[in-house]
Amino acid sequence: MRALLAAMEKVGYGNLSGRGEGELRGTAVRMTQRLPQLLATIVEDHEPIDVVSSGQGRAVGSGSVFTDTLTRTDPALKPLIGPTRTDKDLLYFHKSAGGAAYRDWLARDQRLAHTLKAITDQPATHTAARRVLAKVFKPAFVQRVVDGEFASVGGDVDAAEAVYNLYGIALAMSEESPNGRDWHLDRYIAPRDAD
C-alpha cells in the first residue's frame, strides 16, 4: 500500500499514468487503422480538428498524447489540428450553472436512490464485501465494520468498495508498480467479488 501511495504521489493525483499514456497512444494508432477513409477525407477537405479539454491536468495531457500520436501516425493531420481549447461548461456540464437541473435530479430522484440502494443492499453484495474484507482484516474487525461500529468507514459494502477502488487504481498504474510487474492486489479481490 505504501508503494502504491508513493507511486501515486510521484505521478501526481489526477495526472496521466504510464498505462494511460499507452492506452491513448494505442487508441490513436487504432483510429488511423480503422478509419483511414475518414482521415483521408478530413485531409483532402482541409477540415479543422477541434481539440477540446476541461483544462484539468490529465485531460490536457491526454489530449496531447493522443494528438501527438495521431500526427506521428498520419502527419498530414498535423496542420489541421488547432490549439487545444478549454470548455469547462461543455465537459463539466454537471458542475456548470447550466447543470443545476442535473444536480437536482442526482440529489433528489427517488427512483435513482432506490435503484442504487437495491444494488448495494443485496445479500450477494454484502457477502462479496465480507469476503473482500476477510482477505484484508481479521474476522473480529470485519464483524465490527459489519456492525456499523465505524461511522467514518460506513458499512461492509462501503469498506469493500474502498478496497476495490484501490484495486482499480492499481490496475491503472501497472507501469508504476515495482519492476513494472503489477501490484498483486487481485489477491484481495476475487473475480466473483469484483463482478
Side-chain angles (χ1 to χ4, degrees):
M1 190 51 52
R2 287 185 185 110
L4 177 58
L5 291 172
M8 290 168 56
E9 189 173 312
K10 185 176 181 182
V11 168
Y13 177 77
N15 290 329
L16 199 54
S17 69
R19 179 177 177 169
E21 287 183 17
E23 288 173 349
L24 286 162
R25 284 190 296 271
T27 300
V29 169
R30 286 188 303 278
M31 184 174 144
T32 61
Q33 293 168 346
R34 292 178 181 162
L35 302 171
Q37 186 56 51
L38 172 66
L39 298 175
T41 301
I42 288 171
V43 169
E44 184 179 307
D45 295 346
H46 304 288
E47 291 285 337
I49 298 173
D50 188 26
V51 181
V52 184
S53 167
S54 65
Q56 301 298 316
R58 182 173 54 213
V60 172
S62 295
S64 294
V65 168
F66 183 83
T67 56
D68 289 350
T69 304
L70 190 64
T71 58
R72 273 196 306 277
T73 306
D74 189 343
L77 294 170
K78 188 167 188 164
L80 302 173
I81 298 176
T84 300
R85 66 181 177 85
T86 299
D87 188 340
K88 290 183 181 181
D89 288 338
L90 174 65
L91 299 174
Y92 282 102
F93 72 93
H94 57 289
K95 294 182 178 181
S96 71
Y102 171 77
R103 289 190 302 276
D104 183 61
W105 168 81
L106 191 62
R108 293 187 173 86
D109 187 80
Q110 291 304 305
R111 181 176 171 214
L112 175 63
H114 175 72
T115 300
L116 293 174
K117 181 154 178 61
I119 291 168
T120 59
D121 205 24
Q122 292 180 25
T125 307
H126 288 282
T127 299
R130 290 174 187 151
R131 282 194 302 256
V132 167
L133 295 176
K135 291 182 178 187
V136 181
F137 304 109
K138 293 180 179 179
F141 183 77
V142 172
Q143 189 58 53
R144 291 171 67 193
V145 171
V146 169
D147 292 342
E149 188 174 324
F150 305 100
S152 63
V153 172
D156 55 346
V157 173
D158 299 312
E161 189 173 356
V163 174
Y164 181 79
N165 288 339
L166 288 172
Y167 170 75
I169 290 167
L171 290 173
M173 296 194 56
S174 57
E175 288 189 22
E176 289 80 10
S177 67
N179 301 317
R181 294 196 339 230
D182 197 9
W183 297 97
H184 304 293
L185 289 181
D186 53 340
R187 63 187 145 183
Y188 302 112
I189 309 280
R192 68 179 177 177
D193 296 332
D195 290 344

